Amino acid sequence: MNIVVVGAQWGDEGKGKLIDILSKDVDVTVRYQGGSNAGHTVIVGQERYVFHLLPSAILRDGKVCVIGNGVVVDPKALLEEIDGLKKRGIRVTPDKLKIAVNSHVVMPYHRILDGLRENIREHKIGTTGRGIGPCYADKVTRCGIRMVDLMNPRVFSAKLKDNLKEKNEYFKKVFSQEGFSFDSIHDEYQAYARRLKPYVCDTALFINDAINRKSSVLFEGAQGAFLDIDFGTYPFVTSSNTTVGGAASGSGVAPTRIDKVIAAVKAYTTRVGEGPFPTEFGKEMDDEIRSRGKEFGATTGRARRCGWFDSVLVRYAAITGGFDELAIMKLDVLDELKTIRLCTGYKYKGKLFSDFPHDYEVLCGAKPVYEEMPGWQKPLGAIREFSRLPVQARSYIKRLEALVGVPIKYISIGSERDEIIVR
Ligand code: IMO
Ligand code: MG
């Protein structure tokens, strides 16, 4: 069985925990888009791990993790992650980690440009500053440097020289910044190349071969549906396809070989960075849920904006993502609430929107239409069976299911591995 896990909101839906649980039963886990902008948290006992580039299954022995061609790989960030795990007694060896030859490499000028562009923008995106947008831009404008290029010193030198010729002019003229030195980037990246070489291979062949041998593959999406470059709240999005199609193009596995799509969704909504957020809480509620849900970015530490569950968004994500099952994460964060609200539509200038509106002004001015449900006001952490949940919690789950139109299979009621209800 080959499964794709995606986020159905604005990222941080708890994909790391879900992947960690699902990866127990699969052979290969694949990251296929995004880069070190992602922050996937896995908690095992007293230990907390945050993965940015490594697939969350890296903690499990005997499983293979793949960084697919659709990922933009920052070698510095990746090696830091590998070294960080090693210090904690987890060895990342080439039989455990495979990196796509045709994945693109994040360069220092991408990271710097990410920050400079944000600074001069009137409407900031609030990027993670990891160079993601500029790296994908270079991929599309065909001046990117791939892993295979980095591994070949002659090709790498030629490409870097060409890139710096253009970029240094640009940095000087547009941003009055000093350019980059060829020698220092060259030497730094050749050192990365030497360390990463054993991991680099044709991962598309590797994954397809594994599927042919009846291995099961789990595709680990990063970010969420509304950060998708095509379907998200553009331009407040990331630069890759976070929706399910990205799993095929970002790994070299045909969509026909994907058996199931599971979407992770929070029992409420969060967003980190700028952009419209119709169901965002007011200050008081925002602070309360943020502290209860520990809603601070795993990559940047920024406070996440919090709001009510928005079924307009998730229903749209379910349609464009072909979701088979939903995993409702962090239900326990709502434990103490007396009343819970659920958004079923938006009102804007007297018109009712029940489908996601792409228009920026509509999204910014949308007044959510809410349904109210009573809270359960009890801790859920110890419950492992759906039928044992308080009736109010069951009603909330069933209402979400009906509004989104997708069966809810998993319900997470805590951050620990075993704090999950499987229906
Ligand atoms: P995971 O995988 C939440 C957001 C940034 C910003 C926008 C663009 O942990 O769910 P970028 O650096 O990608 O150019 O920033 O996207 N963003 C995320 N928000 N979770 C993430 O990843 C995110 N990755 C990027 O905050 O608004
Ligand atoms: Mg995150």
Side-chain angles (χ1 to χ4, degrees), residues 126-390:
T127 73
T128 60
R130 298 296 190 269
I132 306 299
C135 185
Y136 276 117
D138 276 4
K139 173 178 176 173
V140 175
T141 36
R142 293 157 295 177
C143 63
I145 296 178
R146 301 166 303 166
M147 270 298 160
V148 63
D149 303 324
L150 177 63
M151 298 300 142
N152 181 328
R154 289 176 303 280
V155 175
F156 179 68
S157 291
K159 287 202 166 195
L160 180 61
K161 210 169 277 169
D162 242 14
N163 262 294
L164 287 184
K165 206 157 58 182
E166 184 193 326
K167 305 225 185 270
N168 280 349
E169 282 299 302
Y170 183 71
F171 274 95
K172 272 180 214 147
K173 295 199 169 129
V174 179
F175 294 105
S176 313
Q177 297 276 322
E178 224 185 289
F180 293 86
S181 130
F182 172 87
D183 286 339
S184 85
I185 297 186
H186 176 269
D187 295 353
E188 180 187 345
Y189 274 67
Q190 282 306 298
Y192 298 147
R194 281 190 291 277
R195 284 199 61 196
L196 290 177
K197 195 162 191 152
Y199 301 95
V200 176
C201 65
D202 188 322
T203 52
L205 290 181
F206 175 83
I207 305 165
N208 279 286
D209 184 49
I211 295 173
N212 292 341
R213 286 183 286 102
K214 305 280 175 258
S215 292
S216 47
V217 180
L218 182 61
F219 296 88
E220 173 174 0
Q223 290 86 45
F226 294 90
L227 291 171
D228 183 274
I229 187 80
D230 285 282
F231 290 102
T233 44
Y234 192 89
F236 304 94
V237 295
T238 191
S239 299
S240 62
N241 279 117
T242 63
T243 38
V244 64
S249 60
S251 70
V253 173
T256 47
R257 309 196 90 175
I258 293 168
D259 303 298
K260 196 197 266 188
V261 182
I262 306 178
V265 70
K266 256 179 210 168
Y268 47 102
T269 311
T270 63
R271 169 163 211 172
V272 55
E274 303 303 318
F277 183 175
T279 63
E280 189 166 11
F281 294 137
K283 167 100 178 69
E284 216 168 281
M285 190 65 193
D286 202 37
D287 288 344
E288 186 179 336
I289 295 294
R290 182 176 310 112
S291 73
R292 228 184 276 158
K294 303 191 185 70
E295 296 294 356
F296 295 91
T299 297
T300 56
R302 290 178 292 176
R304 293 179 186 142
R305 300 154 65 193
C306 304
W308 296 113
F309 186 89
D310 185 341
S311 70
V312 177
L313 292 186
V314 182
R315 194 163 50 239
Y316 190 77
I319 294 167
T320 52
F323 298 169
D324 295 298
E325 292 170 357
L326 286 183
I328 303 291
M329 310 304 285
K330 299 183 99 164
L331 185 67
D332 54 297
V333 173
L334 307 181
D335 277 357
E336 286 167 37
L337 299 184
K338 213 166 155 209
T339 328
I340 303 175
R341 290 175 138 192
L342 263 168
C343 168
T344 58
Y346 305 144
K347 272 227 164 112
Y348 180 70
K349 291 196 173 163
K351 201 173 153 209
L352 181 70
F353 291 82
S354 41
D355 288 318
F356 173 68
H358 288 266
D359 189 297
Y360 179 65
E361 283 182 0
V362 178
L363 276 172
C364 291
K367 291 269 167 292
V369 178
Y370 287 118
E371 268 179 27
E372 289 200 342
M373 300 190 76
W376 43 93
Q377 300 187 280
K378 290 188 189 82
L380 302 182
I383 300 171
R384 295 291 174 273
E385 277 166 54
F386 185 72
S387 60
R388 300 262 162 127
L389 282 172

